[in-house]
Amino acid sequence: MSYLNIANASIMWFACFPLVILVVSVVVIISRRTIRVAQKAGISRKECFRAFRTGAISAIGPSLAVFIVMVGLMSAIGAPMSWMRLAVIGSADAELLHAGLGASTVGQNLGGDNYNATGYIASVWAMSTLGISWLINIVFIPYANKIQTKIQRRDDRLLQAVSVSCMIGIMSYMSVQNMLLGWDVTAAALAAVIAEVVLTKVSGKVRWLKEYVLGFSMIVGMAAGMLASNL
């Protein structure tokens, strides 16, 4: 039986649904309390709803960008888990990274030919447990702020360099692992990198494109991989 039969099973929808409902409930509660506080501050309900409408319209662009990446995530880990994770975290690229790290711990590649139920379970555990780091951050934020302030006083660029270097190291490690699998994967990775660089430069002038850079780069990479596999 394919692992996708498990990933898209009804029990997975029931397991993921409560958390999504919780997120929606939090949004509703915060919105209602915001309106109450706004009225005390002399802001009318009409102005509040106008602000909500503006925010909702502004969120369409980023949401579409996340949706594009979610399609790729759904093909690897199924619809229920993708829906739940992006409802909670909202960062498609982070979830792809976590799912890939989970699969690599059992010697598999996310969405690859060797990816099975074991790899899927490892991906789910990785996405779930790595999400706990957000709770840990609440405890360590005060201490992290003190460390950040001290580093910035000495050299503001040092913290940026460390953060970027960590991300480059993780992404490079995972990319090279997959590129060794064959020419088609290598072509997909190289095409995606080139597309990412080009689109990032273009997005400096075309602001709305920034949210779509990752999604469009993935599409270019997939197209290049398919073309290479047929050559």
Side-chain angles (χ1 to χ4, degrees), residues 89-167:
I89 303 299
S91 177
D93 49 345
E95 293 306 314
L96 279 170
L97 175 62
H98 295 166
L101 288 173
S104 65
T105 60
V106 292
Q108 298 182 18
N109 297 291
L110 180 65
D113 294 334
N114 65 338
Y115 193 65
N116 54 31
T118 303
Y120 169 72
I121 293 171
S123 295
V124 170
W125 272 104
M127 288 187 290
S128 301
T129 54
L130 289 173
I132 297 175
S133 61
W134 295 102
L135 297 177
I136 297 175
N137 287 340
I138 296 175
V139 178
F140 290 100
I141 279 175
Y143 305 101
N145 285 337
K146 292 180 181 179
I147 296 173
Q148 180 180 351
T149 302
K150 290 181 179 179
I151 294 175
Q152 287 178 333
R153 285 176 181 174
R154 293 186 178 183
D155 190 350
D156 187 34
R157 296 170 297 178
L158 178 60
L159 193 62
Q160 296 178 9
V162 171
S163 301
V164 172
S165 298
C166 289
M167 288 301 298

Side-chain angles (χ1 to χ4, degrees), residues 1-13 74-80 115-117 120:
M1 182 176 65
S2 172
Y3 78 93
L4 285 174
N5 292 334
I6 302 173
N8 293 312
S10 299
I11 188 64
M12 289 300 297
W13 284 105
M74 287 171 60
S75 65
I77 64 170
Y115 193 65
N116 54 31
Y120 169 72

Side-chain angles (χ1 to χ4, degrees), residues 178-190 224-225 227-231:
N178 289 317
M179 289 169 69
L180 294 175
L181 297 176
W183 159 244
D184 53 342
V185 183
T186 302
L190 293 176
L227 182 62
S229 63
N230 293 324
L231 293 178

Side-chain angles (χ1 to χ4, degrees), residues 27-140:
V27 172
V28 172
I29 293 171
I30 292 176
S31 299
R32 293 182 63 182
R33 290 187 177 181
T34 301
I35 293 175
R36 291 175 186 173
V37 173
Q39 289 177 335
K40 292 180 181 179
I43 303 173
S44 66
R45 290 176 63 90
K46 185 177 181 180
E47 290 175 312
C48 289
F49 285 117
R50 186 184 304 162
F52 288 150
R53 185 174 63 250
T54 302
I57 294 172
S58 301
I60 292 175
S63 298
L64 287 175
V66 172
F67 178 76
I68 292 173
V69 182
M70 189 180 74
V71 172
L73 190 63
M74 287 171 60
S75 65
I77 64 170
M81 194 66 187
S82 302
W83 180 53
M84 184 196 74
R85 294 304 304 169
L86 295 181
V88 177
I89 303 299
S91 177
D93 49 345
E95 293 306 314
L96 279 170
L97 175 62
H98 295 166
L101 288 173
S104 65
T105 60
V106 292
Q108 298 182 18
N109 297 291
L110 180 65
D113 294 334
N114 65 338
Y115 193 65
N116 54 31
T118 303
Y120 169 72
I121 293 171
S123 295
V124 170
W125 272 104
M127 288 187 290
S128 301
T129 54
L130 289 173
I132 297 175
S133 61
W134 295 102
L135 297 177
I136 297 175
N137 287 340
I138 296 175
V139 178
F140 290 100

